[in-house]
């Protein structure tokens, strides 16, 4: 690989680190690959991160998505160097970095609760990483200005964190994490403490900044909508393991496990027994055709997304079931119809708002889908899969910050958050 | 609380405050005595006792020695106590943190007389009894807990993740503590420094054991002035100490108040 990209591994904060940072906030010059190889981190007998392997492409936006305690934040802290893996290794452009201390890794990190230094102005916060790298004062001033421009806070540089709203604080934190042009930026639920509108506008901003910088972004969230909106690829975590890695359309359209299918988007899971020819699934009283190319036999589950289900429409190449409508909710552009199907359970369908084919609660309806719109899932069993036990947030020493994302009003300062902990 | 209840609360607070502070401030009129008989409300008043306090070498030597020892003890206790508090708050092993905490705070619990006898015999062995060094050692050991306690309280109010943030930005662990943690715990350090100074400045028991006739600190000089020669100058010395402490406490209070205001 390119040896020039490994300058951050050098000892000392002299030229090695300085070179990378004097290039300015420019596009695409700074792309490296990141590889996690069989990472394991245990707390007692619990493996918070259990054999995680992942390769990112240079400049990629990859999201670690999973419920609280699934090991995604621990993985991020291993990459940042705040935690040491029990086994496995982390490579940046082919070089192992597990023995490099955090401050020499040259990896940027944005935290959920901003972690701005409360005794410094926004400018001083952003200048902090440049001062540690002993840049000349003139360069520091220019770069801080550029970074403030990039996040749209040019006029607020002299404010203290407590004088900024939550969204503004997170913008400053973002500027601080990218001002030294790190080739990799880690973001740990950066929008978790913000309200919904702010979250959406900052999502757009993060996307834009990623496009402009070309830095590899590793983003942790438990919000699947956010993951779908932002990422090139998503790695879905469960119980310390990666359940599936894929592009947003891959994980939505072709999930490989029931966990991924239910965690991302709304889903109808139909469980049954496949026949020996792998062509039909017997679920309760129903016999359903399996999509072409099904390879598994025995106990099986298929996924049908609600928008693939439609009322009525028995036709060639379609499976159909009969059920009783439980509830029909008008959503404006569509009607969300949930129904109970004997031997299968509850199914949800989205119908275009115009067509309301006898979909009132209590009425019996026929529902159908194209055979090949179903996805066959692996029914993986996870013994002892309690989602809340893992120590996901080892750095904060408690999961509270992750559990209470909406407790913080945008106006409160970060010191308050600290006192809460 | 009802309006009447609130009034009674203020009455109670005033009574308690007077009860606590009046004896201390009684030395102010006492120090204006012009006779050689001690009296709380002297009829014949002058600043003669202050002349004696700041004029007689016995008193001035004790006064400057107390300030000098207090200053050195403050520096030592602040440095060692802050490092100890950082170790207790940020150390890796919980058991080791608890052990260290107990060890550091032990001087507060051990009766001073016992500490005095122990250090007296030890320092005799080392041949440093009667030297300022002996007092500095002994005073530092009892002053450290008074730094550790407020600094630990300050540290608990700071999110330790801030140090991780600093490290991710390129600061070593030591540099993260220096640039981020220390500025944030400055109020705790200031309180600790003041308490450490006062621990040394008005310490009597250890000092009685460890000072010789030529190394008397102000409290020891005051004690012997009362016991040996009933010298009323002691009232002036006490008044100076009371005024000094009052000014220090009030200024710390004011600065904390303005810091708390600034934070909102």
């Amino acid at each position: 690989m390119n040896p020039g990209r490994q300058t951050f591994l050098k000892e000392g904060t002299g030229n090695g680190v300085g070179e990378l940072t004097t290039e300015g906030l420019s596009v695409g010059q700074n792309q490296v690959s990141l590889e996690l190889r069989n990472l394991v981190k245990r707390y007692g007998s619990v493996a918070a991160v259990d054999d995680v392997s992942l390769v990112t492409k240079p400049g990629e936006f990859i999201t670690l998505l999973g419920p609280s305690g699934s090991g995604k934040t621990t993985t991020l802290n291993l990459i940042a160097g705040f935690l040491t893996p029990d086994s496995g290794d982390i490579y940046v452009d082919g070089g192992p970095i597990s023995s490099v201390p955090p401050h020499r890794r040259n990896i940027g990190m944005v935290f959920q609760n901003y972690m701005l230094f409360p005794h410094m102005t926004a400018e001083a916060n952003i200048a902090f990483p440049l001062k540690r790298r002993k840049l000349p004062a003139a360069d520091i001033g220019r770069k801080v200005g550029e970074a403030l421009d990039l996040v749209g806070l040019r006029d607020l540089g002299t404010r203290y964190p407590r004088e900024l709203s939550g969204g503004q604080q997170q913008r400053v934190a973002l500027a601080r994490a990218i001002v030294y042009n790190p080739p990799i930026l880690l973001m740990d639920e950066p929008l978790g403490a913000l309200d919904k509108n702010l979250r959406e506008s900052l999502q757009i901003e993060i996307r834009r900044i990623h496009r402009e910088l070309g830095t590899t972004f590793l983003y942790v969230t438990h919000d699947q909508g956010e993951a779908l909106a932002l990422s090139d690829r998503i790695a879905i975590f469960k119980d310390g393991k990666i359940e599936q890695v894929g592009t947003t359309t891959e994980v939505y359209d072709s999930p490989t496990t029931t966990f991924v299918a239910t965690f991302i988007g709304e889903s109808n899971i139909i469980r049954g027994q496949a026949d020996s020819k792998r062509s039909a699934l017997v679920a309760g009283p129903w016999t359903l055709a399996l999509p072409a190319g099904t390879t598994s036999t025995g106990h099986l589950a298929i996924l049908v997304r609600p928008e693939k289900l439609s009322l009525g429409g028995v036709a060639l190449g379609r499976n159909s079931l009969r059920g009783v409508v439980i509830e029909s909710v008008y959503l404006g552009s569509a009607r969300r119809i949930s129904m109970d199907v004997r031997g299968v359970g509850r199914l949800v369908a989205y119908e275009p708002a115009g067509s309301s084919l006898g979909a009132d609660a209590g009425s019996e309806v026929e529902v159908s889908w194209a055979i090949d719109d179903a996805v066959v899932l692996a029914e993986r069993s996870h013994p002892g899969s309690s989602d809340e036990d893992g120590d996901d947030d080892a750095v904060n020493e408690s999961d509270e910050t992750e559990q209470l994302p909406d407790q913080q009003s945008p106006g409160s300062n970060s010191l308050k958050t600290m006192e809460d902990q | 609380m009802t309006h009447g209840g609130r009034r009674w609360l203020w009455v109670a607070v005033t009574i308690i405050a007077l009860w606590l502070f009046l004896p201390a401030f009684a030395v102010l009129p006492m120090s204006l005595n012009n006779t050689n008989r001690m009296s709380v409300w002297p009829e014949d008043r002058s600043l003669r006792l202050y002349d004696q306090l700041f004029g007689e070498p016995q008193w001035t030597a004790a006064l400057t020695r107390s300030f000098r020892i207090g200053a050195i003890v403050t520096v030592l206790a602040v440095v060692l106590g802050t490092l100890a508090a950082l170790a207790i708050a940020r150390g890796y092993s919980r058991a080791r943190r608890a052990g260290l905490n107990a060890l550091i705070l032990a001087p507060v619990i051990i009766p001073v007389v016992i500490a005095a006898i122990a250090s007296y015999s030890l320092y005799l062995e080392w041949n440093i009894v009667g030297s300022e060094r002996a007092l500095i050692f002994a005073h530092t050991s009892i002053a450290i807990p008074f730094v550790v306690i407020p600094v630990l309280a300050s540290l608990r109010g700071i999110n330790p993740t801030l140090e991780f943030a600093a490290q991710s930005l390129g600061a070593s662990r030591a540099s993260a503590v220096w640039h981020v943690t220390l500025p944030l715990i400055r109020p705790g350090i200031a309180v600790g420094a003041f308490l450490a100074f006062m621990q040394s400045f008005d310490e009597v028991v250890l000092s009685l054991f460890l000072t010789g006739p030529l190394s008397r600190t102000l409290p020891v000089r005051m004690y012997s002035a009362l016991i040996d020669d009933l010298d009323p100058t002691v009232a002036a010395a006490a008044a100076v100490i009371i005024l000094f402490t009052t000014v220090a406490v009030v200024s710390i209070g004011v600065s904390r108040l303005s810091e708390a205001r600034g934070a909102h």
Side-chain angles (χ1 to χ4, degrees):
Chain A
M1 304 237 175
N2 185 351
R5 293 294 175 230
Q6 292 186 33
T7 42
F8 62 93
L9 293 177
K10 281 182 189 165
E11 287 295 302
T13 51
N15 289 335
V17 178
E19 264 167 40
L20 280 174
T21 56
T22 46
E23 291 171 12
L25 298 170
S26 42
V27 183
Q29 306 180 2
N30 205 6
Q31 297 191 333
V32 302
S33 67
L34 169 72
E35 181 180 356
L36 314 180
R37 218 176 276 172
N38 307 109
L39 275 187
V40 176
K41 179 67 187 175
R42 269 180 237 287
Y43 292 102
S45 60
V46 182
V49 172
D50 191 359
D51 196 24
V52 163
S53 296
L54 183 69
V55 182
T56 72
K57 299 179 195 99
E60 190 176 32
F61 195 129
I62 188 157
T63 295
L64 313 185
L65 174 68
S68 169
S70 58
K72 52 199 194 313
T73 296
T74 308
T75 303
L76 216 61
N77 286 330
L78 288 169
I79 299 169
F82 306 147
L83 298 172
T84 315
D86 292 322
S87 65
D89 216 334
I90 301 161
Y91 299 83
V92 175
D93 256 3
I97 61 164
S98 287
S99 57
V100 179
H103 67 283
R104 295 210 202 291
R105 290 194 183 190
N106 205 34
I107 291 175
M109 179 131 176
V110 177
F111 299 83
Q112 180 181 359
N113 289 317
Y114 327 130
M115 292 303 138
L116 293 179
F117 306 130
H119 59 300
M120 298 181 194
T121 61
E123 276 169 354
N125 266 283
I126 298 170
F128 186 87
L130 304 175
K131 281 189 178 153
R132 302 287 81 73
R133 286 164 175 78
K134 300 194 165 48
L135 258 67
D139 287 353
I140 293 180
R142 180 176 52 78
K143 279 167 175 290
V144 168
E146 284 172 9
L148 279 169
D149 280 343
L150 189 70
V151 297
L153 290 180
R154 174 55 108 176
D155 302 329
L156 301 181
T158 54
R159 297 242 185 124
Y160 282 90
R162 61 171 178 269
E163 298 164 338
L164 297 169
S165 72
Q168 289 168 337
Q169 287 187 54
Q170 195 57 296
R171 281 163 205 257
V172 174
L174 188 60
R176 184 179 70 172
I178 57 183
V179 69
Y180 53 103
N181 225 19
I184 296 166
L185 182 67
L186 311 176
M187 306 179 92
D188 185 11
E189 307 238 9
L191 310 181
L194 305 173
D195 62 49
K196 191 167 170 291
N197 289 337
L198 208 51
R199 218 153 43 208
E200 279 164 10
S201 72
L202 266 172
Q203 278 177 17
I204 295 167
E205 201 130 333
I206 287 172
R207 250 315 335 174
R208 175 181 61 82
I209 289 169
H210 175 251
R211 231 181 7 251
E212 284 179 25
L213 294 181
T215 304
T216 304
F217 275 35
L218 235 79
Y219 192 98
V220 159
T221 184
H222 61 260
D223 180 337
Q224 45 111 356
E226 199 167 288
L228 289 171
L230 289 172
S231 325
D232 296 322
R233 285 197 301 155
I234 299 177
I236 293 113
F237 274 68
K238 190 196 177 205
D239 300 332
K241 290 183 162 64
I242 292 183
E243 193 93 349
Q244 185 178 358
V245 188
T247 63
T248 48
T249 45
E250 275 167 12
V251 294
Y252 185 81
D253 292 338
S254 334
T256 53
T257 67
T258 46
F259 178 77
V260 175
T262 50
F263 198 75
I264 296 184
E266 211 170 352
S267 53
N268 297 304
I269 308 281
I270 302 168
R271 292 189 169 80
Q273 199 73 25
D275 67 357
S276 55
K277 287 177 289 185
R278 302 183 185 102
S279 60
L281 181 76
V282 180
W286 315 96
T287 300
L288 307 166
L290 282 168
T294 302
T295 53
S296 349
T297 55
H299 197 65
L300 214 65
I302 58 171
L303 159 76
V304 187
R305 293 289 181 194
E307 63 273 17
K308 306 282 189 191
L309 274 185
S310 43
L311 297 189
V314 187
L316 200 65
R318 293 182 78 84
N319 280 317
S320 67
L321 298 171
R322 289 191 77 79
V324 177
V325 174
I326 299 167
E327 169 184 70
S328 170
V329 181
Y330 181 62
L331 300 172
S333 60
R335 198 172 270 282
R336 183 181 182 277
I337 297 158
S338 48
M339 67 200 84
D340 190 48
V341 176
R342 192 159 47 89
V344 170
R346 178 172 294 209
L347 295 182
V348 174
Y350 283 116
E351 272 296 289
S355 68
S356 50
L357 282 156
D360 298 325
S363 60
E364 196 174 291
V365 291
E366 181 144 55
V367 64
S368 73
W369 66 93
I371 293 168
D372 285 334
D373 276 349
V375 179
V376 179
L377 303 170
E379 279 272 72
R380 203 179 286 172
S381 63
H382 288 280
S385 60
S386 161
D387 283 341
E388 306 303 325
D389 287 344
D391 190 358
D392 200 31
D393 214 351
V395 167
N396 285 331
E397 287 191 334
S398 82
D399 239 332
E400 280 166 19
T401 53
E402 216 182 279
Q403 304 283 8
L404 304 168
D406 296 323
Q407 292 272 309
Q408 195 179 23
S409 63
S412 65
N413 65 55
S414 52
L415 249 179
K416 271 210 184 106
T417 322
M418 292 164 203
E419 282 157 9
D420 290 343
Q421 290 191 340
Chain B
M1 195 178 286
T2 64
H3 191 71
R6 187 170 290 256
R7 194 162 36 191
W8 283 113
L9 182 69
W10 278 110
V11 171
V13 166
T14 312
I15 290 172
I16 292 170
L18 287 176
W19 182 30
L20 285 176
F21 299 123
L22 210 56
F25 285 97
V27 300
L28 295 180
M30 277 175 79
S31 71
L32 299 174
N33 197 344
N34 195 25
T35 66
N36 274 335
R37 276 184 56 243
M38 291 253 207
S39 153
V40 175
W41 208 254
E43 315 229 310
D44 185 6
R45 288 187 286 271
S46 80
L47 292 175
R48 184 176 63 91
L49 294 181
Y50 288 92
D51 281 343
Q52 282 173 18
L53 177 67
F54 294 113
E56 284 179 21
Q58 266 201 327
W59 283 104
T60 53
L63 196 62
T64 52
R65 185 176 295 113
S66 273
F67 271 104
R68 185 169 58 239
I69 291 174
I72 297 169
V73 165
T74 303
V75 171
L76 288 175
V78 162
V79 171
L80 297 173
T82 304
L83 289 174
L86 283 169
I88 293 167
R90 301 280 191 267
Y92 285 112
S93 134
R94 206 166 283 249
R96 226 181 296 170
R97 285 180 342 204
L100 190 59
N101 201 358
L103 193 70
I104 295 282
L105 301 184
V108 184
I109 298 152
I110 295 173
V112 189
V113 184
I114 292 172
I117 294 168
S119 32
Y120 179 67
S121 15
L122 186 68
Y123 293 173
L124 266 185
E125 197 90 346
W126 292 351
N127 222 2
I128 58 170
V129 169
S131 71
E132 284 191 8
R133 239 182 322 162
L135 272 186
I136 289 169
F137 287 166
H139 284 181
T140 303
S141 75
I142 59 160
I144 283 175
F146 290 88
V147 177
V148 171
I149 293 166
V151 172
L152 260 184
S154 279
L155 277 171
R156 296 218 170 93
I158 295 176
N159 192 327
T161 311
L162 279 177
E163 280 173 31
F164 286 113
Q167 287 181 53
S168 80
L169 296 168
S172 65
R173 265 196 101 178
S175 167
V177 168
W178 181 258
H179 287 107
V180 176
T181 312
L182 282 184
L184 292 174
I185 59 173
R186 221 171 34 197
I189 293 176
V191 171
F194 172 67
L195 292 177
F197 181 84
M198 289 317 293
Q199 279 303 304
S200 165
F201 192 74
D202 74 11
E203 205 288 323
V204 186
V205 182
L206 281 168
S207 309
L208 273 177
F209 276 78
L210 298 176
T211 52
L214 296 177
S215 65
R216 279 180 181 162
T217 58
L218 189 62
V220 175
R221 179 75 193 88
M222 288 166 73
Y223 181 77
S224 64
L226 276 178
I227 299 298
D228 303 340
D229 29 70
L230 279 172
D231 178 356
T233 315
V234 77
V240 167
I241 294 174
I242 287 287
L243 288 174
F244 170 75
T245 328
T246 308
V247 168
V249 168
V250 168
S251 57
I252 283 184
V254 166
S255 77
R256 297 205 99 184
L257 200 67
S258 63
E259 247 168 75
R261 288 231 176 95
H264 289 287

